[in-house]
Amino acid sequence: MQEFDPHVLDEKPIPPPADFAKKARIGSMEEYEEMYAAAAADPQAFWAEEAKNIDWFEQPTKVLDWKVPHAKWFVGGKLNVSHNCLDRHLEKNENKPALLWEAEDGATLQLTYAELHERVCQFANVLLSLGVKPTDCVAIYMPMIPELPIAMLACARVGAVHSIVFGGFSAVALADRIADAKSKILITADGGFRRGKVVALKDTADAALEKCPTIQKSIVVKRTGEKVAWKDGRDLWWHELVEKSPKDCPAPAFDSEHPLFILYTSGTTGKPKGVLHTSAGYLLQTQWSTRLVFDLRDDDVYWCTADIGWVTGHSYMVYGPLANAASIVMYEGAPDFPRKDRFWDIIERYKVSIFYSSATAVRAFMAWGMEWIDPHDLSSLRLLGTVGEPINPAAWKWYSEAIGKGKCPIVDTWWQTETGSIMISPLPGATPTKPGCATKPLPGVAARVVTMQGESVKPGETGYLILERPWPSMLRTIYGDDERFQRDYWSRIPGVYFTGDAAQIDKDGYIWVLGRVDDVIKVAGHRLSSMEIESALVSHPAVAEAAVVARPDDIKGEAIVTFVILRSGHKPSKELRAALSDHIATTIGTIARPAEIHFADLLPKTRSGKIMRRLLREVAQKGAISGDTTTLEDLSVIDRLAKAKGIDEE
Ligand code: ATP
Ligand code: MG
């Protein structure tokens, strides 16, 4: 791993906006470094200090019990996660808005902490009345409606383990996940709204339940009012159950390591894994990182646009913000409904101050253009965040200018379903940022970029991103497959956590996440990251989106294959293909010239918006796919790509 990667080393750090830094929780690099050093010197003391911000029913007797790869945090402690997100806020924040919900059709619902607490208690009593016991698994398959966080917190209250399956998944994907987690109860809705159309969730859920013998009851929220099939004895209306249900529900004490939820990863690299998270460590670290990374204040209006079906929604829409008594905005529908300015309209009306979205979304906003943004007053914003994929520098700069108006710091947060909370990110008032870079690990996080032998790489060399020490919100296992947990994460480089991501470190010690390990392409001995080539492509004015993979090549080892989606107004042509190839050669080097450039109308993406390069790789190599496609957003895309490739080739 020798090669030199100029873009990584050249970026000049941008200091945090001075006004922001003055008022920030952590306002300088010295403060960050002090905190980082203290945490590194004595991690257990560091986390024990942070653990004081949790309401314990019984104090832990030991901070960490660690035998690679199994961690127990805050041993002997007892708590209730729902109490920590609700009850403890009632004294001071009873009337503070907890949830500011907006339906796709514009209807709204606002719940104060007192009201959210009451609804959670009522639904917790429903779960108890149906015989739900601690550690029972409850599957949740719902649209983005208030009943979703209510259901989560009610599960946490009674010690049930929730397994949320994103509402866009098919019956097969839902059935697989229900079977894997052995869920006893399903919570769903008659339907949801997306771009003004009804999504018939219950039909899909019913089809899944035909293959799910473990499910005893299916609780259905009435959202659309459409007629739905009904199975007596199994199906129950949410509103009928809640009506009869008492409003008081004690929050019993559970062990620190009591399981909180199972969540399946998005499946960009293989079959989704049921990641298991437990109570105290997860709550503590999401609460702490929300405060630190988003510089959260009492009067912030916080909006994380992720669907709760993904880990970002779990950690930074529900548990982290609510544990901090924040006011959270929740939106039911699509960002382009009824028009492409829906998000900016919401920010203006709710006076959103913190906006956390995905790199894919930022690229879409950029493609839609300023005409949707300019008419709106976005002056309430003070901080922007991104997550999910490397954000290319051009999109980062656009986000900073077009949305942040140059005054909002951007936190590019690197983390995974498995890590439970943000691991690498700027601290907005302290860390000088570099567009496209997640910068430095948070205090308490021991991240390094290493060779397969575990040795640190030099600046500009590509290596594997690892985490060296256990952290409170780490996954405890892969549900039902502890062997895979050990093999995938703790054995590649013995004794350390293997993230599966490739990265580089630059001369300032900044970590640049390049993408998945298998997205690194080796051409004639040079290691190139697919993300870097994609980034070069989308900096060309004709290109809206691009995905880059490798196929074997007899001479060079691997050859670069690119799939390109053009911006409106541009047409595929031989000339454009040549121009794009030249553009890559001048931006990165002739070594990165693609062997093939295909014009496509769509890319295979997961339902969380991530490009599934493993599928593209199969298309590039074999013209068809055999891998797991349950998380694919649009199944027809593969045929269309294979066809596009055929046509291109003529
Ligand atoms: P699977 O593990 O099933 O293939 P997945 O990795 O896409 O799915 P997630 O846990 O949702 O599922 O995603 C975590 C991954 O997303 C990280 O490992 C990384 O590759 C990418 N990622 C997330 N945030 C960032 C970021 N800020 N910069 C670069 N990459 C990021
Ligand atoms: Mg992953």
Side-chain angles (χ1 to χ4, degrees), residues 209-529:
L209 291 193
E210 277 171 27
K211 288 171 239 116
C212 296
T214 59
I215 294 285
Q216 295 158 3
K217 300 285 176 204
S218 172
I219 304 174
V220 186
V221 177
K222 191 174 236 166
R223 170 69 191 116
T224 63
E226 298 277 303
K227 208 169 153 34
V228 284
W230 203 255
K231 187 162 170 184
D232 285 326
R234 182 195 72 189
D235 297 349
L236 303 163
W237 284 114
W238 170 293
H239 59 273
E240 288 179 2
L241 293 168
V242 164
E243 224 167 70
K244 314 185 277 231
S245 175
K247 290 176 181 164
D248 288 330
C249 179
F254 294 108
D255 220 71
S256 287
E257 284 297 330
H258 190 85
L260 182 63
F261 65 83
I262 298 168
L263 179 62
Y264 293 83
T265 57
S266 42
T268 52
T269 55
K271 191 176 177 295
K273 304 162 274 259
V275 168
L276 179 76
H277 282 290
T278 59
S279 300
Y282 174 81
L283 179 73
L284 169 106
Q285 207 169 345
T286 52
Q287 178 188 324
W288 170 78
S289 54
T290 304
R291 245 183 8 248
L292 201 72
V293 172
F294 301 107
D295 190 54
L296 189 70
R297 269 168 222 291
D298 224 23
D299 57 355
D300 273 316
V301 178
Y302 172 100
W303 187 20
C304 166
T305 67
D307 192 285
I308 293 181
W310 309 114
V311 74
T312 306
H314 281 61
S315 299
Y316 295 107
M317 210 177 128
V318 179
Y319 290 113
L322 293 181
N324 283 298
S327 295
I328 61 176
V329 171
M330 176 177 180
Y331 168 56
E332 177 184 39
D336 54 354
F337 190 86
R339 301 185 328 167
K340 292 192 168 76
D341 64 347
R342 186 62 184 267
F343 276 19
W344 322 127
D345 182 45
I346 290 177
I347 290 174
E348 181 172 4
R349 280 186 290 109
Y350 290 83
K351 301 201 166 32
V352 171
S353 56
I354 299 175
F355 179 73
Y356 188 32
S357 201
S358 67
T360 339
V362 172
R363 284 191 287 270
F365 304 148
M366 187 165 80
W368 295 345
M370 291 309 291
E371 57 180 299
W372 302 106
I373 300 164
D374 283 337
H376 292 281
D377 176 7
L378 304 183
S379 61
S380 56
L381 287 173
R382 64 181 199 94
L383 183 137
L384 305 175
T386 123
V387 65
E389 282 187 297
I391 180 163
N392 46 300
W396 192 104
K397 288 175 187 156
W398 179 88
Y399 196 26
S400 169
E401 284 307 315
I403 308 300
K405 315 294 179 197
K407 69 175 179 62
C408 301
I410 296 182
V411 289
D412 175 354
T413 60
W414 178 89
W415 58 295
Q416 309 177 301
T417 308
E418 295 89 336
T419 68
S421 57
I422 296 169
M423 298 278 111
I424 304 177
S425 166
L427 295 188
T431 317
T433 45
K434 303 186 186 190
C437 178
T439 75
K440 297 202 157 207
L442 296 188
V445 175
R448 274 207 301 143
V449 184
V450 301
T451 63
M452 219 51 206
Q453 288 67 47
E455 288 148 16
S456 293
V457 298
K458 293 196 194 68
E461 292 176 6
T462 303
Y464 305 98
L465 179 62
I466 58 147
L467 302 171
E468 276 184 314
R469 276 197 304 265
W471 61 98
S473 66
M474 66 187 253
L475 79 166
R476 297 304 192 260
T477 190
I478 296 295
Y479 186 75
D481 198 349
D482 197 58
E483 205 187 296
R484 185 171 178 199
F485 168 64
Q486 308 209 19
R487 189 180 63 234
D488 281 6
Y489 301 106
W490 297 95
S491 312
R492 306 282 187 92
I493 301 177
V496 303
Y497 175 84
F498 189 79
T499 66
D501 282 350
Q504 293 193 355
I505 189 142
D506 71 13
K507 59 181 189 318
D508 299 321
Y510 280 46
I511 296 171
W512 293 77
V513 178
L514 302 174
R516 271 69 173 180
V517 165
D518 47 8
D519 292 340
V520 172
I521 301 173
K522 201 163 182 178
V523 184
H526 297 262
R527 292 178 139 261
L528 301 158
S529 94

